[in-house]
Amino acid sequence: MDLSTPAALESLARDVAGQLGAQRAEPGDMPGRVRIVYADGRALDLVPNRPRNRLTITAVLPEQAAAYGMAIEPITVSTWPRPRPSETQDKATARHIADHIRRRLLPQQHAALSRMSRAVERARTALSNLPERPEQRWAIADAPVPHPHQAAERCPIAWWHTPDGESRAMAPFLADILRRAGLATTEPHGGGPVFFAEPPTNQPDARFHVTPASGRPGWDLVDQYTGASVHTYDDAEWAQGAADTMNCTEEAARHKGVASLDLPGLSGELVELDHVRALAVELAMAGHLPYGLVDADYEKTAGFLIYPGPHPGTVHIARLLEPWGAARPGDRREAPDHQAARYDQDLKAYAQLLSGPGRAVVIQPDSIQVTFTAPPPGL
């Protein structure tokens, strides 16, 4: 395809823009360039490489990309692909270039822009208050959503990174922190990463809905705010019941004006106390599992539960393992010796971890008691 004139290059750019679903093609910021612009502000620069009849295409990134150390290598594509039957050379060239852009540039551009989005900036600010430990810290990336509204849609995710991988214990607390920063979150069952996004301006009637699972049998419960799937169910009615429950919970939280109606590891009346949530976060950072995760097996892994103490400024932390060593359904005094010893070891671990300035920690027969002498600042 001859791109020796500006008119020919602009005509090709318009055809490629149509193939990609972009908004328009326009002259570039330098002679001999044409820019394809999307409605959301993304842009691609096209420059002919005339001696070899090839086109160099660059994904445009904002100026602040350099501060993040981000760059995307341009791609070079032939302008003389073999046409398909009943296809002109011009149409073949536009199709060929659009295919290369979709596969080689757009995923990288979307990932880079996602890292610089307003939602990601808010998440970074919120999570930066969390203390870092050796080989442990929060991380942000982006991932494909299982049910995208359009091709190649992705959503940012946050997780707590440890040497053993993503921390399941920290996921609900990361989600809570992000919600308190004004973001919408999705916590897939059994996963460590938390999907997050800016709440939509035009909110759907029902946030959670059911749709056939993509590429597998079953039904997915999908969060329309992020596009991420919460869980896959075998039965459509069961999935719809779960969606109805989550929509009611969402409405109740909005009506009450809270980020979290409840949190694993905390009794309901303590959820809004910053210094008590800090205890739960410290325990979760150390790898202790909060009690109440819907996907955890508490017959194998003990969970902690923080509940009010007998006096203001005190809380109790129980170690729950079903059926032994738990307040319910088994009595610790009936537990086998090895379970009782494990129970005592876990309580000592809780106490050792939480002992520090502003707290008095006492090990009791069925829990530890923490008394706040100077409550720490909120998360």
Side-chain angles (χ1 to χ4, degrees), residues 353-373:
L353 177 68
L354 298 179
S355 296
R359 301 172 186 163
V361 180
V362 177
I363 298 178
Q364 298 184 335
D366 59 352
S367 64
I368 67 169
Q369 178 173 293
V370 179
T371 301
F372 294 97
T373 56

Side-chain angles (χ1 to χ4, degrees), residues 24-87:
R24 66 185 185 275
E26 60 185 28
D29 56 0
M30 295 178 62
R33 291 181 179 231
V34 174
R35 176 165 290 189
I36 292 175
V37 181
Y38 285 79
D40 62 6
R42 286 176 295 153
L44 304 164
D45 279 349
L46 281 61
V47 180
N49 188 349
R50 292 188 182 89
R52 298 179 60 189
N53 294 317
R54 298 172 75 83
L55 192 69
T56 299
I57 308 166
T58 304
V60 180
L61 293 177
E63 292 182 1
Q64 63 264 38
Y68 288 85
M70 288 186 294
I72 300 175
E73 288 294 322
I75 64 172
T76 303
V77 183
S78 170
T79 60
W80 286 97
R82 179 176 297 177
R84 294 172 178 171
S86 303
E87 187 180 49

Side-chain angles (χ1 to χ4, degrees), residues 82-144:
R82 179 176 297 177
R84 294 172 178 171
S86 303
E87 187 180 49
T88 67
Q89 184 63 60
D90 287 356
K91 288 186 179 296
T93 301
R95 169 188 53 77
H96 178 72
I97 291 172
D99 286 345
H100 276 268
I101 290 172
R102 286 193 195 96
R103 288 187 292 106
R104 299 168 61 190
L105 274 187
L106 292 186
Q108 293 186 71
Q109 186 182 36
H110 194 290
L113 293 174
S114 175
R115 289 179 60 191
M116 293 183 290
S117 69
R118 182 185 174 197
V120 170
E121 286 298 318
R122 292 172 69 177
R124 288 180 182 277
T125 300
L127 297 178
S128 65
N129 291 321
L130 285 170
E132 295 184 12
R133 297 189 171 202
E135 299 185 307
Q136 295 191 40
R137 57 159 289 131
W138 56 268
I140 291 178
D142 70 313

Side-chain angles (χ1 to χ4, degrees), residues 189-365:
H189 283 199
V194 177
F195 290 78
F196 65 91
E198 294 279 351
T201 304
N202 298 318
Q203 297 182 353
D205 292 337
R207 174 175 175 178
F208 298 93
H209 72 122
V210 175
T211 185
S214 178
R216 61 189 186 279
W219 301 85
D220 274 356
L221 173 58
V222 178
D223 183 351
Q224 296 192 79
Y225 285 10
T226 63
S229 174
V230 178
H231 192 57
T232 301
Y233 295 88
D234 295 330
D235 183 83
E237 290 187 9
W238 191 272
Q240 188 57 55
D244 293 341
T245 298
M246 293 190 73
N247 283 320
C248 288
T249 302
E250 165 75 9
E251 180 60 30
R254 185 185 303 115
H255 180 74
K256 195 173 180 180
V258 296
S260 306
L261 280 178
D262 55 62
L263 281 174
L266 288 166
S267 63
E269 60 268 53
L270 300 179
V271 170
E272 289 303 308
L273 298 181
D274 292 353
H275 58 283
V276 178
R277 285 201 316 277
L279 294 181
V281 169
E282 289 180 49
L283 289 166
M285 281 183 181
H288 298 294
L289 202 64
Y291 188 80
L293 293 173
V294 296
D295 50 294
D297 183 356
Y298 293 101
E299 291 188 359
K300 297 179 180 178
T301 304
F304 67 83
L305 177 65
I306 306 176
Y307 59 96
H311 309 292
T314 66
V315 295
H316 281 176
I317 304 177
R319 176 268 202 192
L320 303 180
L321 181 71
E322 300 174 349
W324 303 112
R328 58 182 187 280
D331 189 324
R332 176 176 176 274
R333 290 171 297 179
E334 301 171 2
D337 290 344
H338 72 281
Q339 287 287 13
R342 180 181 167 189
Y343 183 98
D344 292 336
Q345 290 172 1
D346 287 346
L347 285 187
K348 290 178 181 177
Y350 292 173
Q352 183 177 8
L353 177 68
L354 298 179
S355 296
R359 301 172 186 163
V361 180
V362 177
I363 298 178
Q364 298 184 335

